[in-house]
Amino acid sequence: MAETLVFLEKEDFLARLRELKKDGYSRRNLALYLPWHLPEVEEILEVSPGPLRYFAFFGGLCGFVGGMGFILYTVLSWPLITGGKPLISIPPFLLVSYILTILFGSLATFVGFLFLARLPSIQGIGGAEEYGNRFVIVIEEGLRPWNP
Amino acid sequence: MESLKLRPAVFYLLLLSAVGGIALAEYGGSGGGKGSLLVTLVFWSCLAQGAVAVVAITDLVRARWVASLKRELLSLYPLQFLVFLLFLLWTPRLSLYPWSAEPGLWLNEPFFVGRNLALLLLSSLLAALFARLSLRGDRRANLLAVLYLLVFVASQSLVAFDWVMTLEYPWYSTLFGAFFCVEAIYAGFALAGVASYLLRRQRCDADPETARKGLRDVGNLLFGFSVLWAGLFFAQYLLLWYGNLPEEVHYILRRTGSTSALALSGLFLAGNFVLPFAVFLSRKGKRLPAVVGGVSLVVLGGLFVERVVYVFPVLSLHAGVLFVENVLIIFVGMAAFYGRKTLLPRGGEGD
């Protein structure tokens, strides 16, 4: 059976969490419900950062390469010489590539977040229990994967 | 070497000797390299004002990472007084500026010297006062931080517009002043990075957790400022590029026209943007004091090379004179840094 501990104060909650960690509990058998994100929790439970950052990185990279490729393709397939400048001029190309880096990076991060949090699935939204502004530790008996 | 017992009188004697040495190197030497002092001046005004500006900003926003580096950054405030004296040394050379032949309302020698000396003096006085009050934990430090930042922005803008931009008179770029202010703050964060490395043992013994977080914060700030720097640099470059006006473009052409100029320009782009951006993108890069300190030194080097690129197409430089001048100032800076226990007031915070 799961045991539920409810705290009103952040410090009490963190102190109890440190004790539990010392007693050998880990991410595998603790479920936490927090009113807001606490970076201390990740440090106590030694959580490594999730794969979300790779979504951001590769999204941004695709945006940059795609932006460059798209401009090069359009410029070479429909040459418009203006102001005597060379067709392939890096400075203005950088602007569009940079903006597409941000756009694709942020979209990929958002999609990655939905994918990792399994948000669109109703079952994945989490427990029906509502704890408001309290800090809750649920100690599970069995093993369950825990994602902060 | 952990600390140095220096009496203020001895330190200021050292500072004045360094100024004397610089005067000797500049005026008593080979006669070549009339721009060396200007490069030194612009670079050290950026560092000295930036270090105090970073503390003023972080004090106002109540940033916690700076607490353990506050004394170290503030210990460099006497360098502003040194910059003031060096500007006095620079005044006989004002005839090198193209506008000196036809002085105008804004660009004439008496007004040029007057406004710059006044701002440099005001800036160094406010920095000294702010350092004292801030280290004592005095409540009036916030007011002084605001005043100092106002003078800092005016002073660095004039460094950009008056000292550097008028070398290329009548070329102008309206972003130049803001660009210099951002660079000075960037230099301040780079100095914080260097100080983090120098104090790594001391800080780790005191509180490893705070030291780790502080190092990460400095790395993040350097990363952010490298992107901001690149954005401002690019904004300025792009406007000149697509405007393609002869009177504007010659400025860039003179700085990219030869192989050596192009190499120098590439060097400061790599040092100010490419390297800090690439290194601090990873979390591991922000964990090691040696990496943060090393990249900070590269950033400072990049800022120095950038100042060389501003000056060398117009005025000749002498490598030996540049070296002697900067080594002397680094020596004074080190003395201020290691003598901070006796030169700065004892305070509640940051001790």
Side-chain angles (χ1 to χ4, degrees):
Chain A
M1 261 316 284
E3 184 191 351
T4 308
L5 309 166
V6 181
F7 301 89
L8 282 172
E9 295 298 326
K10 183 180 92 170
E11 297 309 323
D12 302 343
F13 158 78
L14 288 174
R16 187 77 179 93
L17 191 63
R18 283 194 185 96
E19 282 172 25
L20 286 169
K21 181 81 180 82
K22 270 188 191 152
D23 295 345
Y25 287 93
S26 72
R27 311 167 38 180
R28 290 185 163 280
N29 40 24
L30 293 177
L32 307 177
Y33 298 92
L34 311 172
W36 67 84
H37 176 78
L38 290 176
E40 292 96 328
V41 169
E42 289 174 11
E43 281 166 26
I44 294 170
L45 294 176
E46 293 161 9
V47 178
S48 56
L52 185 62
R53 56 208 171 117
Y54 298 113
F55 280 88
F57 180 75
F58 286 107
L61 207 61
C62 288
F64 188 82
V65 173
M68 269 292 175
F70 177 65
I71 303 176
L72 284 167
Y73 166 72
T74 48
V75 157
L76 292 175
S77 60
W78 186 257
L80 285 173
I81 297 173
T82 44
K85 292 200 167 67
L87 274 180
I88 296 175
S89 322
I90 298 299
F93 289 12
L94 276 178
L95 270 184
V96 181
S97 316
Y98 169 71
I99 287 164
L100 283 179
T101 305
I102 297 172
L103 177 70
F104 280 66
S106 48
L107 285 178
T109 311
F110 182 61
V111 169
F113 166 71
L114 290 180
F115 173 74
L116 293 171
R118 302 177 202 140
L119 264 186
S121 129
I122 301 295
Q123 288 83 16
I125 286 179
E129 198 76 41
E130 177 52 57
Y131 294 109
N133 62 350
R134 290 169 299 170
F135 301 86
V136 178
I137 306 177
V138 179
I139 305 171
E140 302 278 347
E141 288 297 316
L143 294 181
R144 67 188 283 283
W146 178 79
N147 282 316
Chain B
M1 183 165 73
E2 276 305 309
S3 76
L4 197 68
K5 282 201 166 69
L6 260 184
R7 280 208 294 275
V10 176
F11 171 76
Y12 281 102
L13 200 66
L14 201 73
L15 190 143
L16 289 174
S17 320
V19 173
I22 290 169
L24 206 64
E26 187 70 19
Y27 290 100
S30 53
K34 288 184 163 34
S36 311
L37 181 59
L38 184 64
V39 173
T40 310
L41 247 180
V42 175
F43 177 66
W44 286 98
S45 79
C46 165
L47 259 65
Q49 295 190 341
V52 182
V54 162
V55 179
I57 293 167
T58 46
D59 249 18
L60 285 174
V61 298
R62 302 256 180 283
R64 272 179 293 180
W65 66 268
V66 82
S68 56
L69 293 172
K70 202 166 161 176
R71 285 188 83 80
E72 288 68 28
L73 285 173
L74 286 176
S75 70
L76 297 178
Y77 82 82
L79 289 182
Q80 295 201 24
F81 182 59
L82 187 137
V83 168
F84 169 80
L85 294 175
L86 288 188
F87 186 75
L88 277 175
L89 278 185
W90 175 243
T91 47
R93 290 256 161 101
L94 290 188
S95 55
L96 294 172
Y97 284 102
W99 48 263
S100 60
E102 299 172 42
L105 271 177
W106 177 258
L107 292 173
N108 59 67
E109 283 191 25
F111 188 33
F112 182 97
V113 173
R115 64 176 178 259
N116 278 296
L117 278 182
L119 273 175
L120 288 174
L121 188 63
L122 194 61
S123 170
S124 44
L125 287 175
L126 282 171
L129 209 57
F130 168 70
R132 286 182 187 287
L133 291 182
S134 178
L135 287 171
R136 281 195 194 123
D138 196 311
R139 291 178 62 186
R140 287 168 301 175
N142 272 358
L143 173 69
L144 270 163
V146 173
L147 287 175
Y148 173 77
L149 285 173
L150 287 172
V151 172
F152 156 78
V153 167
S155 180
Q156 270 303 315
S157 302
L158 277 199
V159 167
F161 292 138
D162 277 0
W163 306 5
V164 180
M165 210 170 77
T166 61
L167 283 173
E168 292 278 2
Y169 183 81
W171 177 86
Y172 70 91
S173 159
T174 39
L175 185 62
F176 228 58
F179 189 57
F180 268 58
C181 292
V182 168
E183 279 189 335
I185 296 168
Y186 191 14
F189 286 130
L191 285 168
V194 174
S196 306
Y197 173 72
L198 293 173
L199 303 169
R200 63 196 183 284
R201 284 202 192 89
Q202 205 176 316
R203 294 173 79 209
C204 264
D205 291 348
D207 187 354
E209 190 57 29
T210 312
R212 202 168 55 86
K213 277 186 183 169
L215 199 65
R216 196 181 56 201
D217 287 337
V218 172
N220 276 331
L221 281 163
L222 281 168
F223 174 78
F225 265 81
S226 75
V227 179
L228 177 64
W229 180 90
L232 290 175
F233 179 84
F234 184 70
Q236 184 170 278
Y237 175 79
L238 188 74
L239 289 184
L240 297 174
W241 181 88
Y242 78 61
N244 211 6
L245 302 168
E247 69 270 22
E248 286 188 351
V249 169
H250 82 89
Y251 171 83
I252 294 180
L253 288 181
R254 287 169 83 172
R255 281 156 183 78
T256 52
S258 66
T259 316
S260 59
L262 197 60
L264 280 176
S265 299
L267 204 61
F268 80 72
L269 271 170
N272 287 351
F273 170 63
V274 179
L275 187 87
F277 180 83
V279 171
F280 292 135
L281 205 56
S282 79
R283 278 156 50 97
K284 288 189 184 74
K286 289 177 286 226
R287 275 197 198 138
L288 300 165
V291 172
V292 174
V295 175
S296 300
L297 272 181
V298 171
V299 168
L300 293 175
L303 289 170
F304 183 78
V305 173
E306 194 189 352
R307 267 102 192 112
V308 170
V309 171
Y310 285 142
V311 175
F312 89 89
V314 189
L315 303 174
S316 54
L317 297 177
H318 190 288
V321 174
L322 258 183
F323 178 77
V324 168
E325 287 175 353
N326 284 284
V327 164
L328 282 172
I329 302 182
I330 288 171
F331 184 65
V332 174
M334 285 296 209
F337 179 82
Y338 284 110
R340 62 190 181 275
K341 276 211 165 79
T342 44
L343 293 174
L344 290 172
R346 294 189 180 285
E349 275 185 276
D351 263 339

